[in-house]
Amino acid sequence: MSGMISQVCPSQPVTIGALAPLTRPGWVEAGRHLLAGLELAVGEVNDAGGVGGRPLELLVRDTAADPQRAAAAVDELAQLGVAAVVGEYHSVVARAAAARADALGLPFLCSSAVLDALTEEPTEWVARLSPPQSHGWRVYADFLLGAGHSRIAVATEPSVYWASGVRILRDHLAPRGGTVLELDARALAPAAVCDALVDHRATALLLLVGFPEPAVSIVRSVRRDQCLAETMIGAPAGQPEFAAWATLLGGDSTAIPFLRYLPGRLGPLGARVATALRERLAEAPSFVAFEGYDTITVLADVLRTHGTDRARIAASWPHVAVEGTRGQIRFSRTPGISVWQWARTPVQVVDRDPAEPGRLRIRHVG
């Protein structure tokens, strides 16, 4: 009728819950990179018409590295009707989120946490993009042996994640003649850590501790101890990946090998996404940002193919075959892993180049 204004109701969005550590004591830089990847991919999906004509919408919740807070967020997101939950960086937090998602029958696509036992029992509801810790840390142990290090010390703090890492290193190194000495970073001041390295003739010290402290203080102490001039410092969990590491440590930030989950060379999709992420972050994107992007790429494909029903999403994990920024993503059942796992995640050991701290050098490929 003339004179009437027609109204077009926008399509109801498909909501996805997103978990990330965005405040302390969470690793805020990791959370920021993870969220940048998630948001970039959501924007691209929506620009291309969404999922079945419906836009994707992220409902972001800050976990602050708190498992209880993450579990409560999963409860809230389930009640809000999200199709699935994605994200999280900290392993102990992701484990709490996975347990709650499993109990509620809510699909959870974990972006970045690596703890092998992400759930106590095998589950159909959870899939993971990052490699299990047992794989990545064995790659790191092989790097240590190849570099001539068999007497390894680890500065560690109480954590299921750190304890699991020590066990993986010890089990992998022992049959090959390697030893692992544990140093309690709570009981020992950085100077005492240095003394223990000298006493036990360790040639490598791995930082299985929080960042920035005590990691920064330990690095500074070791680097200033003339008796430890040849001692390698390592950080398998990836603390040196982020800009704050170089900012806080300056010249001491280099030549500290860590794990990252990128291929030696990015393909066309990865290269394009890397450029877009750099613009969004105003710095080089970490592997965590790529994990975020790939998470939405996988989930959007699942939603297009199988719809938004939670049970159908969970049933789709074994049928995923999606080209991500770091290779083709497929999920399978991996022995000893309780969730659907991308088994071919690329693994590298890299460090910051002493001659150019902003450049990362590939030291070993798993």
Side-chain angles (χ1 to χ4, degrees):
M1 294 175 61
S2 60
M4 293 186 64
I5 300 175
S6 63
Q7 292 184 338
V8 178
C9 295
S11 297
Q12 189 74 13
V14 178
T15 55
I16 300 169
L19 306 177
L22 301 175
T23 55
R24 299 290 182 193
W27 198 336
V28 175
E29 275 192 289
R32 188 169 69 89
H33 280 236
L34 176 59
L35 188 57
L38 294 170
E39 290 177 338
L40 174 64
V42 166
E44 291 185 358
V45 168
N46 289 341
D47 288 345
V51 173
R54 299 171 63 187
L56 295 183
E57 180 182 340
L58 284 181
L59 302 182
V60 180
R61 297 297 181 267
D62 173 23
T63 64
D66 183 336
Q68 292 182 337
R69 184 165 172 173
V74 172
D75 280 337
E76 179 203 0
L77 291 164
Q79 291 172 1
L80 290 173
V82 299
V85 173
V86 300
E88 196 44 50
Y89 176 80
H90 296 286
S91 281
V92 293
V93 179
R95 186 174 64 163
R100 198 70 197 119
D102 180 43
L104 294 171
L106 177 62
F108 175 34
L109 181 50
C110 182
S111 301
S112 196
V114 300
L115 194 66
D116 281 35
L118 203 57
T119 56
E120 292 295 328
E121 301 291 337
T123 176
E124 301 297 321
W125 293 98
V126 182
R128 174 168 56 188
L129 288 173
S130 51
Q133 189 181 16
S134 57
H135 174 58
W137 286 50
R138 284 198 295 262
V139 170
Y140 196 92
D142 287 337
F143 159 72
L144 292 172
L145 291 171
H149 300 290
S150 59
R151 297 180 67 87
I152 314 300
V154 295
T156 188
E157 295 177 310
S159 162
V160 171
Y161 175 62
W162 298 130
S164 173
V166 172
R167 184 171 58 253
I168 292 164
L169 292 170
R170 182 170 283 127
D171 289 350
H172 194 69
L173 291 169
R176 296 160 179 81
T179 60
V180 177
L181 169 70
E182 288 188 65
L183 303 174
D184 187 344
R186 297 174 308 163
L188 297 175
V193 170
C194 293
D195 292 340
L197 295 176
V198 174
D199 291 343
H200 292 274
R201 295 181 290 115
T203 64
L205 170 67
L206 307 186
L207 303 171
L208 310 189
V209 295
F211 174 79
E213 291 299 337
V216 168
S217 294
I218 293 173
V219 171
R220 285 176 175 155
S221 292
V222 173
R223 287 283 164 87
R224 282 154 181 71
D225 191 321
Q226 294 301 313
C227 297
L228 300 174
E230 302 301 318
T231 301
M232 188 205 85
I233 305 173
Q239 296 96 324
E241 170 84 9
F242 298 96
W245 179 268
T247 300
L248 289 171
L249 281 166
D252 289 337
S253 68
T254 64
I256 298 178
F258 61 93
L259 287 166
R260 74 169 177 175
Y261 309 127
L262 289 176
R265 177 186 291 272
L266 292 168
L269 172 62
R272 178 184 67 75
V273 170
T275 299
L277 286 169
R278 181 181 287 272
E279 291 176 356
R280 181 176 287 259
L281 290 163
E283 62 185 13
S286 69
F287 70 85
V288 180
F290 290 94
E291 289 175 326
Y293 185 94
D294 285 344
T295 299
I296 296 300
T297 300
V298 168
L299 190 57
D301 183 78
V302 166
L303 292 168
R304 291 189 191 101
T305 307
H306 299 276
T308 60
D309 177 76
R310 291 172 177 175
R312 293 187 66 187
I313 292 171
S316 75
W317 298 139
H319 308 294
V320 165
V322 175
E323 194 63 31
T325 60
R326 299 164 297 146
Q328 189 176 65
I329 299 169
R330 293 178 180 268
F331 296 121
S332 61
R333 284 300 191 186
T334 302
I337 307 300
S338 60
V339 302
W340 287 99
Q341 178 70 53
W342 182 23
R344 296 186 176 274
T345 312
V347 178
Q348 302 172 340
V349 180
V350 303
D351 68 3
R352 291 184 176 272
D353 187 345
E356 189 180 341
R359 188 176 80 87
L360 298 179
R361 307 181 296 182
I362 299 176
R363 302 288 302 278
H364 182 75
V365 176

